[in-house]
């Protein structure tokens, strides 16, 4: 058994397969661009369907909960039965959701459409993370960053879609999202045979054999559970704050500074675009300086900028929100790799917990922030939301990195 595990490890660490990494990253970008189209529509839907902030928060909640809560379950299933064809099936569901979003005449049909988009994303992410795991070689931080950069790049397009697609075309402009889904399916039809071959040669990731007695194994399990719960709390706080910026900060800008709908998208784009850069460099630096150190830097370093942001003159908003996005998202992919190394035999479930369940909890944040904004005003609520990154300082208590050769 140890010989088999060693051969798998050697094969998978021989070198990163960059063509596959960039292919699956591009699909991740297309997938998250479709999700971003929902957020890009918020200013349009607020006016065309007369939505309240609470209803906008509920749309974001429906999208994120379906795309997030399903991920650990899909990941758990695919850890036992990896299914390459789930990748294009997920994209097909998102395609149906984009058609529905373009045509939905009411709030509840918008909810139904985003549920389809969410389900498609939930199916894609765990299997996509497994593809990355196989293609990473020994460069897991870099590989996960390449993958996550695609997703964050797609998310960063939301403000641009608002400006160039949805303001001139309105809600029917979402039909262009079907082209994104079709492109993703075509790319995946090329990735699936490679993925199936990897599964045939190396099988699914194997669990480490316990190296200690029963008491030691129990202690090991306790450490892993503690680390996972703490990591979920940290990602939860980051997701609440990220949801507040991505969904509601544009309304804060319109209210406090008197910006137009178009002008309010610029700081959001800067935040998202900086996050793409932070995601990439965070993964690279984590391979050098450690996962825990990078997670701590990403959340602790963001605290002063988050606290300053609601109180700045408009001219200072642009550089500060760019730096904030870079630092905050530099720990994004690192959190996934840290969780995978805690659960080396459950790559899909570990990925689903971080990119799925934790972001699902973050979706609750969007719902809470929207309701609070209706009650107390968007300016007051965004001031309070700036305190959320402080929760991330719990990263000080994370156990040290657990880099294992056996996967």
């Amino acid at each position: 058994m140890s010989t088999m595990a060693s051969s798998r490890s050697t094969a998978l660490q021989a070198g990163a397969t960059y063509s596959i990494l960039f292919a699956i990253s591009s699909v991740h970008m297309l997938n998250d661009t479709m999700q971003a189209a929902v957020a890009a529509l918020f200013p349009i839907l607020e006016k065309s369907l007369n939505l309240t902030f609470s209803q906008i928060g509920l749309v974001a909640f429906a999208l994120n909960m379906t795309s997030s809560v399903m991920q650990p379950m899909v990941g758990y299933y695919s850890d036992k039965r990896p299914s390459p064809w789930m990748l294009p099936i997920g994209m097909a569901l998102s395609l149906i959701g984009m058609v529905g979003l373009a045509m939905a005449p009411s709030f509840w049909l918008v909810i139904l459409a985003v549920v389809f988009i969410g389900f498609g994303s939930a199916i894609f992410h765990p299997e996509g993370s497994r593809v990355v795991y196989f293609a990473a070689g020994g460069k897991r931080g870099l590989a996960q960053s390449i993958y996550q950069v695609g997703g964050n790049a797609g998310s960063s397009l939301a403000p641009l879609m608002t400006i160039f697609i949805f303001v001139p075309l309105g809600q029917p402009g979402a039909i262009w999202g079907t082209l994104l889904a079709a492109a993703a399916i075509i790319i995946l039809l090329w990735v699936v045979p490679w993925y199936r071959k990897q599964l045939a040669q190396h099988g699914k990731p194997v669990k480490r054999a316990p190296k200690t007695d029963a008491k030691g194994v129990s202690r090991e399990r306790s450490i892993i559970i503690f680390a996972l719960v703490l990591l979920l709390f940290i990602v939860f706080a980051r997701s609440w704050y990220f949801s507040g910026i991505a969904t509601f900060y544009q309304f804060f800008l319109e209210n406090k500074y008197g910006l137009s709908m178009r002008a309010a998208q610029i700081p959001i784009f800067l935040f998202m675009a900086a996050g793409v850069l932070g995601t990439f460099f965070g993964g690279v630096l984590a391979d050098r300086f450690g996962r825990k150190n990078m997670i701590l830097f990403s959340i602790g370093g963001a605290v002063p900028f988050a606290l300053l942001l609601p109180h700045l003159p408009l001219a200072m908003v642009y550089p500060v929100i760019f730096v904030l996005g870079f630092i905050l998202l530099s720990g994004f992919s690192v959190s996934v790799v840290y969780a995978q190394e805690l659960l080396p035999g459950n790559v899909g479930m570990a990925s689903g917990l971080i990119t799925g369940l934790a972001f699902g909890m973050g979706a609750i944040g969007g719902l809470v922030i929207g309701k609070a904004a209706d009650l107390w005003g968007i300016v007051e609520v965004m001031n309070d939301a700036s305190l959320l990154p402080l929760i991330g300082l719990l990263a000080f208590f994370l156990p040290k990195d657990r880099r294992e050769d056996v996967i």
Side-chain angles (χ1 to χ4, degrees):
M1 180 67 180
S2 61
T3 302
M4 183 182 300
S6 177
S7 65
R8 286 172 175 169
S9 179
T10 301
L12 291 173
Q13 293 184 19
T17 308
Y18 288 104
S19 60
I20 295 297
L21 285 176
F22 286 118
I24 201 69
S25 178
S26 66
V27 175
H28 197 187
M29 180 186 71
L30 295 167
N31 176 83
D32 284 24
T33 301
M34 286 185 280
Q35 289 188 270
V38 179
L41 270 171
F42 286 156
I44 307 301
L45 295 175
E46 183 209 14
K47 293 177 172 56
S48 64
L49 298 181
N50 296 314
L51 301 187
T52 65
F53 286 131
S54 297
Q55 288 176 311
I56 289 172
L58 188 57
V59 174
F61 175 80
L63 175 66
N64 290 324
M65 286 299 285
T66 51
S67 68
S68 301
V69 173
M70 288 291 294
Q71 279 193 45
M73 292 185 279
V74 173
Y76 179 78
Y77 173 82
S78 65
D79 282 334
K80 296 180 177 298
R81 297 181 180 179
S83 306
W85 287 106
M86 290 174 66
L87 289 165
I89 288 173
M91 289 301 103
L93 289 176
S94 293
L95 188 151
I96 294 171
M98 293 306 299
V99 173
L101 188 62
M103 300 180 176
S106 66
F107 169 69
W108 289 110
L109 287 177
V110 168
I111 293 286
L112 180 61
V114 301
V115 164
F116 269 91
I117 297 171
F119 277 139
S121 182
I123 292 171
F124 164 75
H125 276 96
E127 287 291 340
S129 292
R130 195 189 314 283
V131 171
V132 173
Y133 202 77
F134 278 123
K139 301 178 179 178
R140 295 182 191 168
L142 173 62
Q144 190 66 34
S145 287
I146 291 172
Y147 176 61
Q148 296 294 352
V149 159
N152 287 0
S155 298
S156 72
L157 296 177
L160 298 183
M161 285 190 284
T162 301
I163 295 171
F164 297 111
I165 297 178
F166 297 126
V167 168
L169 298 180
Q171 185 179 343
I175 199 68
W176 288 99
T178 58
L179 298 179
L180 303 176
I185 290 171
I186 291 170
I187 296 171
L188 288 172
L189 292 177
W190 177 71
V191 171
V192 162
W194 180 89
Y195 178 27
R196 191 192 299 113
K197 182 179 178 181
Q198 300 306 304
L199 289 172
Q201 290 179 350
H202 309 302
K204 68 178 183 178
V206 296
K207 296 182 179 180
R208 289 178 294 138
K211 298 179 181 179
T212 57
D213 57 19
K215 184 177 180 180
V217 170
S218 177
R219 182 174 180 274
E220 173 89 352
R221 186 178 295 111
S222 298
I223 292 172
I224 291 173
I225 292 173
F226 170 78
L228 278 175
V229 171
L230 198 57
L231 185 63
L232 287 172
F233 248 100
I234 293 164
V235 176
F236 168 58
R238 184 176 64 201
S239 299
W240 268 55
Y241 183 69
F242 183 88
S243 178
I245 296 293
T247 305
F248 296 105
Y249 189 65
Q250 57 192 309
F251 301 111
F252 173 88
L253 291 168
E254 292 177 27
N255 190 296
K256 181 170 181 176
Y257 300 106
L259 296 184
S260 67
M261 184 189 301
R262 287 175 181 265
Q265 305 307 312
I266 303 302
I268 308 299
F269 174 72
L270 290 173
F271 177 77
M272 299 287 197
V276 174
L277 296 174
T279 297
F280 177 76
F281 286 106
V284 174
L285 293 173
D287 281 338
R288 182 177 180 85
F289 297 108
R291 323 296 191 212
K292 175 183 174 179
N293 290 337
M294 203 64 221
I295 293 171
L296 183 57
F297 166 76
S298 72
I299 197 75
V303 167
F305 296 99
L307 293 174
L308 279 172
L309 186 63
H311 310 289
L312 295 171
L314 180 59
M316 289 300 298
V317 165
Y318 300 96
V320 169
I321 202 169
F322 184 88
V323 175
L324 173 61
F326 183 93
I327 295 175
L328 187 70
L329 273 295
S330 65
F332 187 90
S333 63
V334 182
S335 302
V336 178
V337 176
Y338 186 91
Q340 289 176 343
E341 291 173 351
L342 285 173
L343 300 171
N346 298 97
V347 176
M349 188 173 71
S351 302
L353 281 170
I354 301 305
T355 61
L357 182 58
F359 277 90
M361 290 191 291
I364 298 174
L367 192 61
V368 172
I369 291 171
K371 183 63 177 178
D374 283 335
L375 293 175
W376 297 298
I378 191 68
V379 173
E380 179 64 30
V381 169
M382 291 307 298
N383 287 337
D384 294 340
S386 66
L387 300 173
L388 286 169
L390 288 170
I391 299 173
L393 296 178
L394 291 171
F396 275 112
F397 302 104
L398 285 172
K400 65 180 181 179
D401 296 0
R402 308 167 69 83
R403 304 189 191 197
E404 299 289 343
D405 292 332
V406 177
I407 60 173

